[in-house]
Amino acid sequence: MKIFTIILGVLMAICGVSCICTPVMTFLEAGYFLVILLLVYGIGAIVKAVMEKEYGLPFLFGILSIILGIVIMVVPGLKLMTDGMLIYFMAVWFLLQGAVGIFMAVRQKNSEESKGWVWVLILGILGVLVGIYSLVHPMLLAFTFGILVGLYFIESGISMIVLVCSVHSE
């Protein structure tokens, strides 16, 4: 699992560099990523519900996710509106991810293995600051969306690698 996490962290950092190199394209294609996520979630929820023979809220949300993904894809202008909404979602995501990073750093500091917690704390604080700034200046976020997403992916990849390498394997 440690190797898989390191590989995933490296891949996230590489994707981050790609986003930084193509910031406008990253922003313009962000809506398609949301569509893909909605479709994958919807299919997964439906398959799980059918396998477990439970047709409650998860099944309903799966169907709604697929419908929403298809609607965003085919209705003209809706993808552009989705891209605009993603600016605010991304700002909140930066804020929450930074807060989680701070929480994880404090938790790691108090554990027996406290190596690397300072880096996670610094990156968490940066995430919170970027999130707050992005909420205050959404147009700037639109122009720098690809760069910020790239930095987020690089930060997340590095955090994953630092955290997994600092945990003592038994």
Side-chain angles (χ1 to χ4, degrees), residues 11-152:
L11 288 175
M12 284 184 75
I14 291 170
C15 287
V17 171
S18 174
C19 290
I20 289 172
C21 292
T22 58
V24 174
M25 193 60 109
T26 300
F27 173 69
L28 292 175
E29 300 305 323
Y32 290 120
F33 291 115
L34 178 65
V35 167
I36 291 168
L37 287 172
L38 285 169
L39 294 174
V40 168
Y41 170 77
I43 291 168
I46 290 171
V47 167
K48 183 178 179 198
V50 168
M51 290 178 71
E52 294 177 356
K53 295 183 179 15
E54 284 192 30
Y55 302 101
L57 281 177
F59 180 74
L60 177 64
F61 282 125
I63 292 171
L64 291 175
S65 293
I66 290 174
I67 292 170
L68 182 60
I70 292 170
V71 167
I72 291 172
M73 225 174 5
V74 299
V75 173
L78 195 54
K79 188 199 140 316
L80 185 61
M81 187 173 78
T82 304
D83 288 342
M85 288 174 29
L86 281 175
I87 291 171
Y88 290 102
F89 288 136
M90 201 65 196
V92 171
W93 181 259
F94 286 137
L95 188 63
L96 292 175
Q97 186 65 29
V100 168
I102 292 169
F103 173 77
M104 293 299 292
V106 170
R107 192 168 132 187
Q108 186 180 7
K109 177 187 178 209
N110 295 333
S111 72
E112 292 176 15
E113 287 294 324
S114 61
K115 269 188 325 190
W117 71 271
V118 173
W119 290 109
V120 177
L121 178 67
I122 291 169
L123 293 171
I125 291 170
L126 285 174
V128 168
L129 292 175
V130 167
I132 291 170
Y133 191 79
S134 299
L135 283 171
V136 174
H137 300 287
M139 287 307 295
L140 183 63
L141 179 59
F143 291 118
T144 60
F145 186 83
I147 295 168
L148 291 173
V149 169
L151 290 173
Y152 167 74

